[in-house]
Amino acid sequence: MASNRTSSTLVGALWSVDAETSRLEKAFRATVLALVGTFLLAVSAQLAVPMWPVPMTMQTFAVTVIGAAYGWRLGGATVALYLAQGAMGLPVFSGGIATAALVGPTAGYIYGFVAAAVLVGFMVEKGWGKTILKSTVAMTLGTAVMFAGGISWLSTLIGFDAALVSGFYPFIAGGIVKIALAVAVLPMAWKLVEKFRG
């Protein structure tokens, strides 16, 4: 990745704001990016890739990439808006489920999305997206936060050991694939942004 970047995030490099930018322009930019992000999250939740032992949805991949691309503030706000859309009854979660997902067995994972986006975004803004190793650490920690939230909630329903068996072990392989994919996608995205900017 190039070392002459003027922004620590992809969206900052692609659509920058500065001290001269009006509040209205900043609000418009944030609104557009948040809506695009929630759309991508909703679409990714419906994408199921066949994998053993369970199919892999791309939702958690989108959460970490949005955190990395948007930064911690906008990334966290975007994922929080996504949860709010589900709470309002929009079918944005996996399988077209809305509000029920926020109180069911997967609720802990979904609430963990916000924390994961914030953590990954914060780490990338602090330089943890500049190398393959650092990007891998950031994406792994973001994924771990989602698993921790999910297992914690699921444990209250079925017990810790059962939560690991049904809510963690089957998803390890998919988690590793999505971390690797996110780490591969970010440098390519930076190259495209830099080419676009000339």
Side-chain angles (χ1 to χ4, degrees), residues 34-54:
L35 290 174
V36 168
T38 59
F39 173 77
L40 292 174
L41 281 164
V43 170
S44 70
Q46 312 312 317
L47 297 176
V49 178
M51 192 166 178
W52 184 90
V54 292

Side-chain angles (χ1 to χ4, degrees), residues 1 64 120 123-124 127-144 175-176 178-184 186-187:
M1 291 189 265
T64 55
V120 172
M123 291 183 74
V124 168
W128 284 82
K130 295 184 177 178
T131 67
I132 297 285
L133 178 59
K134 287 184 174 183
S135 295
T136 302
V137 171
M139 295 301 174
T140 301
L141 288 175
T143 302
I176 292 169
K178 286 182 273 189
I179 289 166
L181 186 59
V183 170
L186 286 174

